[in-house]
Amino acid sequence: MSIIGRRGIHFLRKLSAENVPSDLIEKGQSRLIDASLTLIRESAKLRGELVRALGGSVASTSLLGVPLGHNSSFLQGPAFAPPRIREAIWCGSTNSTTEEGKELRDPRVLTDVGDIPIQEIRDCGVEDDRLMNVISESVKLVMEQDPLRPLVLGGDHSISYPVVRAVSEKLGGPVDILHLDAHPDIYDAFEGNVYSHASSFARIMEGGYARRLLQVGIRSINIEGREQGKRFGVEQYEMRTFSRDRHFLENLKLGEGVKGVYISIDVDCLDPAFAPGVSHFEPGGLSFRDVLNILHNLQGDIVAADVVEFNPQRDTVDGMTAMVAAKLVRELAAKISK
């Protein structure tokens, strides 16, 4: 566990050692969580009011940062990703228009409700069961402000579980998921952690939050990953057969008969030549244009999405992967908004 990951545990132990009553600790944790949810609620309300006042929007992308990294099995750097992605989105080296011609400075295309204060909550000793609920509730608060739709900035891939759970519960049924990743992240409980970033899609499928799960870009998968895939009926498209599968994957039609489409992009779906700022280098991945072709051609109503596992601590000095993650966010925002 990293130094950052231990901070909350040490703080709680210190309180316990000082014989601070447990109910006092619990009340303090609840106040902090309530304040955090209030911040997200009011921020989303303000953005929703603005978009509705402007009119003409059926769906509008709103960023929500979840700077969580402690469920990573290797490096915890993804906790620092959301502000780096935001900085790159508005970098002066490029303009604010997406490839399909949408203007990001139009609030009907993109707004931002800020970050959930993950580390501050953990620093008060809040355990993961409760933390995952905070993430889910925050996502629901964004969705309550129609026409806002959440585009979540990770963070490690463990955040996808509470986000998808919230989306499915809020919409009243399962979604179809397009998951781009080098890894299937479907271990039952990797290294004993049910909330591991390598187990998020096992939790999603167990909960019945997805009808179809399509995993694209896979090139690091073992026996358990394949067995879990078969158990849950996952459609796994490995890179070794990508040339054969390309036409199908670049012409996907998802979401019919369910509540819509959820897209989850782990930045390591890309070959490290395109995105070196990730925790797990897996050569032989997708090109950036491969990913954009899949996204641009996808037919379906995208109700929410996430971009995860960008690790600024492994990025190049000029922030190349931050720009890559930002471009993914920009193009997803354009795809969601309408």
Side-chain angles (χ1 to χ4, degrees), residues 170-189:
K170 190 67 177 175
L171 296 178
V175 294
D176 285 344
I177 300 177
L178 173 61
H179 169 206
L180 293 95
D181 201 326
H183 318 87
D185 292 349
I186 203 164
Y187 284 97
D188 180 58

Side-chain angles (χ1 to χ4, degrees), residues 4 19 40 69 90 99 127 133 156 162-163 172 210 213 255 269 293 315:
I4 290 176
N19 295 317
I40 298 299
W90 304 113
E99 288 197 4
E127 301 288 347
N133 290 337
D156 69 42
V163 175
L213 172 58
C269 71
N293 286 343
D315 203 2

Side-chain angles (χ1 to χ4, degrees), residues 213-278:
L213 172 58
L214 287 77
Q215 299 185 318
V216 181
I218 304 299
R219 56 196 185 278
S220 178
I221 183 172
N222 60 12
I223 292 174
E224 182 177 353
R226 290 194 172 91
E227 289 178 345
Q228 285 280 87
K230 290 178 182 177
R231 173 190 171 194
F232 293 118
V234 180
E235 301 166 53
Q236 294 176 331
Y237 297 92
E238 299 184 38
M239 283 307 300
R240 61 192 176 90
T241 61
F242 182 71
S243 58
R244 182 189 68 195
D245 301 328
R246 179 190 294 273
H247 179 75
F248 171 73
L249 294 173
E250 291 183 351
N251 294 276
L252 291 172
K253 189 173 185 179
L254 300 174
E256 289 187 342
V258 288
K259 297 299 181 178
V261 181
Y262 185 95
I263 298 178
S264 181
I265 302 181
D266 185 321
V267 176
D268 74 21
C269 71
L270 294 161
D271 190 274
F274 298 92
V278 295

Side-chain angles (χ1 to χ4, degrees), residues 37-223:
L37 292 175
T38 297
L39 179 62
I40 298 299
R41 178 186 297 108
E42 294 304 317
S43 183
K45 184 177 180 181
L46 179 61
R47 273 68 179 179
E49 289 172 343
L50 173 61
V51 172
R52 289 191 295 271
L54 290 170
S57 178
V58 175
S60 175
T61 304
S62 195
L63 301 181
L64 172 66
V66 185
L68 183 155
H70 66 275
N71 283 319
S72 293
S73 58
F74 181 43
L75 301 174
Q76 282 77 44
F80 303 104
R84 299 293 172 264
I85 296 174
R86 287 188 179 94
E87 182 181 18
I89 289 172
W90 304 113
C91 175
S93 70
T94 185
N95 61 50
S96 57
T97 303
T98 69
E99 288 197 4
E100 295 185 327
K102 291 189 178 178
E103 174 52 59
L104 294 175
R105 295 191 183 278
D106 183 342
R108 292 168 293 189
V109 176
L110 183 64
T111 56
D112 189 342
V113 302
D115 290 352
I116 303 171
I118 296 294
Q119 190 54 50
E120 290 79 1
I121 294 172
R122 293 193 72 238
D123 196 39
C124 290
V126 173
E127 301 288 347
D128 265 3
D129 285 345
R130 200 173 179 192
L131 185 61
M132 294 296 163
N133 290 337
V134 172
I135 297 171
S136 290
E137 288 305 310
S138 298
V139 170
K140 290 178 181 179
L141 290 172
V142 175
M143 296 179 70
E144 283 177 4
Q145 296 300 321
D146 188 64
L148 300 188
R149 296 187 178 185
L151 201 175
V152 179
L153 308 180
D156 69 42
H157 222 149
S158 67
I159 71 167
S160 292
Y161 164 57
V163 175
V164 172
R165 178 178 65 182
V167 171
S168 175
E169 289 178 350
K170 190 67 177 175
L171 296 178
V175 294
D176 285 344
I177 300 177
L178 173 61
H179 169 206
L180 293 95
D181 201 326
H183 318 87
D185 292 349
I186 203 164
Y187 284 97
D188 180 58
F190 190 69
E191 297 180 339
N193 181 7
V194 295
Y195 293 124
S196 169
H197 69 156
S199 300
S200 49
F201 288 91
R203 304 289 82 76
I204 288 168
M205 299 309 287
E206 284 174 351
Y209 303 121
R211 177 187 64 176
R212 293 178 67 187
L213 172 58
L214 287 77
Q215 299 185 318
V216 181
I218 304 299
R219 56 196 185 278
S220 178
I221 183 172
N222 60 12
I223 292 174

